[in-house]
Amino acid sequence: MAEIKLQDVTKRYADGTEAVKRMSLEIKDGEFMILVGPSGCGKSTALRMIAGLEDISEGEMTIGDRVVNDLSPRDRDIAMVFQNYALYPHMTVRANMGFALKLAKVPQEEIDRKVEEAARILDLAEHLDRKPANLSGGQRQRVAMGRAIVRDPQAFLMDEPLSNLDAKLRVQTRTEVARLQRRLETTMVYVTHDQTEAMTLGDRVAVMRSGVLQQVDPPRVLYNDPVNIFVAGFIGSPAMNFFSGSIAGGKLKLPFTEIDAPDGVAHSGDIIVGIRPEDFEDARFAPENHAAGKEFEAPIEVVESMGSEIYVYFSFEGGEVSSDELAELARDSGVAETPGAGGGQAVARLSPESDVSEGTSAKLWFDAAKLHLFDPHDGSSLRRSKADQQAAVDATQQAIAAEHHGDGAPPEDDGDAAAPERDGDVKPT
Amino acid sequence: MRNRSPRAYLASTAALLIVLFYALIPVLWLLSLSFKTPATVSDRKFIPQDVTFENYTSLFAGGLDSALLRPLINSISIALIATVIAVTLAAFTAYAIARLDFPGKTVILAGALAIAMFPPISVVGPLFDMWRTLGLYDTYVGLIIPYLTFALPLAIYTLVAFFREIPWELEQAAQVDGATPWQAFRKIILPLAAPGVFTAAILVFIFAWNDFVFAITLTSSDSARTVPAALAFFTGDSQFTAPTGNIAAAAILVTIPIIVFVLIFQRRIVAGLTAGAVKG
């Protein structure tokens, strides 16, 4: 186990394009770090640089207390799970899992013992003598994980390990990954483009865009306090709604209403306002005695009932937001998931008892205390001061320190509830 | 094959039989000739009237001084040596071409292709003079070198295609698992490219085994003469009898190693070994 440090790490290709730009990131010993971002954001390249499969053009990479810039992958003592698993097709599951140990000249008895133990953990015991071709997708995925864990490496690197599984298996395996990491307590760097995986798995999540690290924070901080419009739009599903508004004379003007400008915002003039779908509610079910809420009339276009909640799409006029960040998100995830970017439509999550219907006008309510305000020029959050950001980082570090040295809960007890619990530990200040 | 109608099945079977018949009739005819006595060689009958093994036994009469034994040993040795060298060198070359980016890569491939296309007959004259000067005339090396010249491009081309099929991630996985580049090549890439290696080996072996032009020009005695060249020096029992039976028998004999070679390795050639490496 070891910590991984990236200091101004840059990846530049021969033609001058930069896949990763001056990335600095500290991954603590035993931490579960997620690298997330849309395709082409450089997250996989960053992971491959940690693995040693890509050269580092500039900057310094440290694993444990060794600078590894010029070390080949075999000397870095890391294990990697590839997106397509990369199992050796001519070897049995047993040989696949024992390959690294065999290369390291570990005695055969010990190899057998470790492989069998890993197989037991991963429920592969009865498949040990089969070839990868005869395994199902989920089994192959577990063999790939097994190949990594038998080695007891300094760190696990995972490159979208679940993306080849079908939806149901993915959810199940996601839980297993979380459990495994808690049990092994090994530093893990996990790359994904799926923000659900990022939110549920990581101690901390690093959001990347076009090779630049945007924000590194625990999932909850990322969700509640995104540093910019890109992170705000990327994290959360359905995505945050964006409206263009303006602040003048102590009033914040939105396309559908006007409220008192929130405290502590020095900005005046044009502004981008983000409201998460769950911060809307049917006016009839709006929480009582809520200090800062506001009702408004909205024409309802589509109603999607999910049983436990209702998603309502309503239109508004003259407040569409256009920005590079949102355009990129829309390209990557499909316009429907970023309603604000797709034109004058927004999505609200309402209580299942709500009886709003399509084609009518309904009274909605939103929580004015939970507005996200962004600078329309650079997309940065207007509510986050530098001090806030530092506080969030400190909180994170404390939380992680407490988690790994404080509680002595036996690993087996860490079930499905592990991930949410951890989120709770790291509340922002 | 599964979803064929009986009619299509019949048609394809018929077509297959016609092709087989067309391809195998000359071989069967040769077989028939090889069992005939000199007197019945030209009796125009497909089934030999009185079967004799005389044609075969006479080829080996006299041990090492016999008409065929030395040439057969020469043929096997030269073809095997050429195959081993060509496939080994080609494996390294092909791996570099498939995996690495280096200047002159396309030139190497284009050059290899150009050499493979070169008509052997146009180099054989100069070679004859050079080999006599260098002392390579009528030696194994004197034949193996020109064989390599033509067989290497063949093997490189075949192997490049196979190496390119192997997912790069497998090698990277091996590196992360702690393998040196050589270990990754030997334990992961080569076993997976085995069908390609065997295909290349068979192609090279057949090329060297079948060559006549170099063999007849660059040898003068049994010390390096291979079977195809030796066949041309067969003589009949007397000045007036053609050695038809002997030639037929020798031709059948030189076909056998090729058939054996292909039968042994065909499973490996056909086997899709990379199945299951990656999802899909």
Side-chain angles (χ1 to χ4, degrees):
Chain A
M1 286 197 276
E3 53 178 24
I4 301 172
K5 268 188 216 155
L6 288 78
Q7 188 67 47
D8 289 327
V9 166
T10 298
K11 174 69 193 180
R12 193 177 297 111
Y13 289 108
D15 61 358
T17 53
E18 288 187 342
V20 175
K21 295 167 191 159
R22 296 181 66 81
M23 179 171 176
S24 292
L25 182 62
E26 257 184 55
I27 302 161
K28 302 269 170 255
D29 187 6
E31 187 175 13
F32 196 149
M33 172 65 81
I34 309 269
L35 298 182
V36 70
S39 54
C41 72
K43 56 191 189 298
S44 278
T45 311
L47 188 80
R48 294 168 61 83
M49 282 195 285
I50 300 176
L53 297 172
E54 298 271 359
D55 291 334
I56 297 165
S57 312
E58 274 167 33
E60 192 177 87
M61 171 97 63
T62 330
I63 299 177
D65 41 18
R66 287 190 302 170
V67 176
V68 297
N69 281 39
D70 298 319
L71 287 185
S72 63
R74 61 187 293 260
D75 298 320
R76 296 193 184 191
D77 193 18
I78 35 95
M80 183 157 170
V81 174
F82 291 80
Q83 185 171 2
N84 58 19
Y85 316 143
L87 302 179
Y88 311 126
H90 57 300
M91 298 181 187
T92 60
V93 169
R94 187 189 299 275
N96 260 287
M97 284 168 51
F99 185 64
L101 298 176
K102 203 165 179 181
L103 288 175
K105 303 224 160 49
V106 173
Q108 189 61 43
E109 288 166 30
E110 201 180 332
I111 296 179
D112 289 343
R113 192 178 54 75
K114 284 191 167 175
V115 166
E116 268 153 35
E117 190 190 327
R120 209 184 56 243
I121 295 173
L122 293 165
D123 199 15
L124 283 168
E126 68 266 45
H127 306 303
L128 275 178
D129 295 312
R130 292 164 74 181
K131 294 260 176 79
N134 304 323
L135 299 176
S136 71
Q139 288 165 342
R140 285 182 207 177
Q141 204 280 337
R142 295 210 298 278
V143 175
M145 304 257 292
R147 200 167 61 178
I149 67 173
V150 290
R151 290 179 47 200
D152 200 10
Q154 301 245 30
F156 291 125
L157 308 179
M158 307 224 165
D159 190 0
E160 308 218 11
L162 307 184
S163 64
N164 276 337
L165 300 178
D166 60 54
K168 194 177 161 204
L169 204 52
R170 196 178 309 154
V171 173
Q172 197 181 327
T173 316
R174 195 170 73 204
T175 321
E176 274 172 32
V177 171
R179 188 180 305 159
L180 199 64
Q181 201 271 344
R182 295 281 288 176
R183 174 176 180 146
L184 301 168
E185 294 190 333
T186 305
T187 314
M188 187 179 291
V189 188
Y190 185 109
V191 162
T192 180
H193 66 269
D194 178 6
Q195 57 98 15
T196 318
E197 274 174 36
M199 292 295 283
T200 52
L201 283 176
D203 290 324
R204 281 195 298 159
V205 178
V207 184
M208 293 181 72
R209 172 184 175 236
S210 328
V212 181
L213 200 55
Q214 306 285 313
Q215 184 172 5
V216 188
D217 268 319
R220 186 160 297 200
V221 178
L222 218 53
Y223 189 81
N224 290 334
D225 207 359
V227 292
N228 60 31
I229 196 167
F230 178 83
V231 176
F234 188 77
I235 300 293
S237 178
M240 187 185 280
N241 301 292
F242 294 103
F243 311 95
S244 63
S246 60
I247 293 184
K251 292 281 179 192
L252 168 60
K253 200 174 170 316
L254 284 167
F256 40 82
T257 187
E258 194 178 84
I259 58 171
D260 290 337
D263 294 337
V265 176
H267 189 88
S268 68
D270 287 342
I271 196 166
I272 294 175
V273 180
I275 307 178
R276 293 221 178 260
E278 66 270 27
D279 294 332
F280 286 102
E281 187 50 276
D282 187 327
R284 293 196 294 128
F285 300 104
E288 287 166 31
N289 304 324
H290 197 284
K294 177 86 180 178
E295 292 180 6
F296 64 100
E297 280 290 325
I300 306 298
E301 292 192 327
V302 179
V303 176
E304 289 175 352
S305 177
M306 314 296 281
S308 60
E309 58 210 14
I310 296 177
Y311 290 113
V312 165
Y313 295 80
F314 63 92
S315 61
F316 58 89
E317 270 170 28
E320 299 95 336
V321 174
S322 61
S323 78
D324 289 348
E325 286 92 345
L326 292 182
E328 188 180 326
L329 283 175
R331 260 204 313 281
D332 198 66
S333 54
V335 178
E337 282 190 58
T338 50
Q345 200 185 47
V347 59
R349 198 182 78 180
L350 307 184
S351 152
E353 285 105 61
S354 171
D355 58 357
V356 297
S357 53
E358 289 177 19
T360 62
S361 184
K363 222 174 185 80
L364 298 182
W365 172 94
F366 69 94
D367 186 345
K370 292 198 174 162
L371 297 184
H372 299 265
L373 304 178
F374 302 98
D375 188 308
H377 303 295
D378 62 5
S380 63
S381 172
L382 292 170
R383 280 209 149 164
R384 273 181 84 104
S385 64
K386 285 282 169 236
D388 280 349
Q389 290 177 23
Q390 192 51 49
V393 171
D394 291 345
T396 312
Q397 288 174 356
Q398 279 166 17
I400 289 159
E403 184 182 331
H404 288 285
H405 303 291
D407 62 342
E412 266 72 19
D413 289 350
D414 292 317
D416 303 14
E421 260 170 32
R422 267 179 297 167
D423 293 350
D425 289 342
V426 287
K427 266 208 174 89
T429 49
Chain B
M1 293 295 249
R2 261 162 269 155
N3 301 324
R4 289 242 191 102
S5 66
R7 202 181 174 145
Y9 186 74
L10 264 179
S12 67
T13 311
L16 210 62
L17 283 176
I18 291 171
V19 172
L20 263 181
F21 185 74
Y22 175 79
L24 285 184
I25 271 297
V27 181
L28 292 177
W29 195 260
L30 210 58
L31 194 68
S32 152
L33 278 179
S34 74
F35 289 120
K36 285 180 176 177
T37 55
T40 57
V41 151
S42 46
D43 65 359
R44 298 179 166 193
K45 293 211 170 77
F46 187 71
I47 310 293
Q49 296 305 299
D50 41 359
V51 174
T52 171
F53 291 96
E54 175 68 14
N55 292 324
Y56 287 93
T57 50
S58 71
L59 288 175
F60 295 101
L64 276 181
D65 294 325
S66 66
L68 196 67
L69 191 56
R70 264 313 286 255
L72 202 57
I73 293 172
N74 292 342
S75 263
I76 293 173
S77 313
I78 290 175
L80 277 183
I81 295 170
T83 305
V84 169
I85 297 178
V87 170
T88 311
L89 289 180
F92 293 132
T93 316
Y95 179 74
I97 288 172
R99 282 287 191 262
L100 307 177
D101 255 327
F102 56 90
K105 189 161 125 176
T106 45
V107 177
I108 290 180
L109 264 184
L113 195 62
I115 291 167
M117 301 249 172
F118 217 77
I121 196 72
S122 60
V123 294
V124 91
L127 270 183
F128 176 75
D129 276 344
M130 283 163 62
W131 272 196
R132 281 171 69 98
T133 316
L134 295 171
L136 292 176
Y137 182 71
D138 203 20
T139 61
Y140 277 16
V141 180
L143 278 182
I144 289 171
I145 291 175
Y147 288 170
L148 284 181
T149 321
F150 286 89
L152 259 179
L154 196 72
I156 291 172
Y157 256 83
T158 316
L159 284 174
V160 165
F162 271 88
F163 283 148
R164 282 199 176 132
E165 289 288 304
I166 297 174
W168 203 332
E169 280 90 352
L170 286 181
E171 215 181 324
Q172 293 175 337
Q175 281 180 36
V176 172
D177 271 347
T180 60
W182 169 245
Q183 284 173 322
F185 179 71
R186 196 168 55 83
K187 298 197 168 166
I188 305 297
I189 303 299
L190 267 192
L192 290 177
V197 172
F198 288 117
T199 310
I202 286 177
L203 290 175
V204 172
F205 187 86
I206 291 175
F207 169 80
W209 185 262
N210 286 349
D211 169 74
F212 178 73
V213 176
F214 290 112
I216 197 84
T217 319
L218 302 178
T219 59
S220 62
S221 73
D222 271 354
S223 60
R225 187 178 284 152
T226 59
V227 174
L231 282 184
F233 287 92
F234 277 7
T235 49
D237 293 338
S238 75
Q239 203 178 337
F240 304 104
T241 43
T244 314
N246 283 342
I247 291 179
I252 292 295
L253 283 180
V254 296
T255 315
I256 290 171
I258 297 286
I259 294 173
V260 171
F261 214 67
V262 171
L263 282 183
I264 290 174
F265 292 125
Q266 71 162 352
R267 254 178 62 88
R268 307 226 56 173
I269 297 169
V270 177
L273 258 181
T274 43
V278 296
K279 202 226 172 201

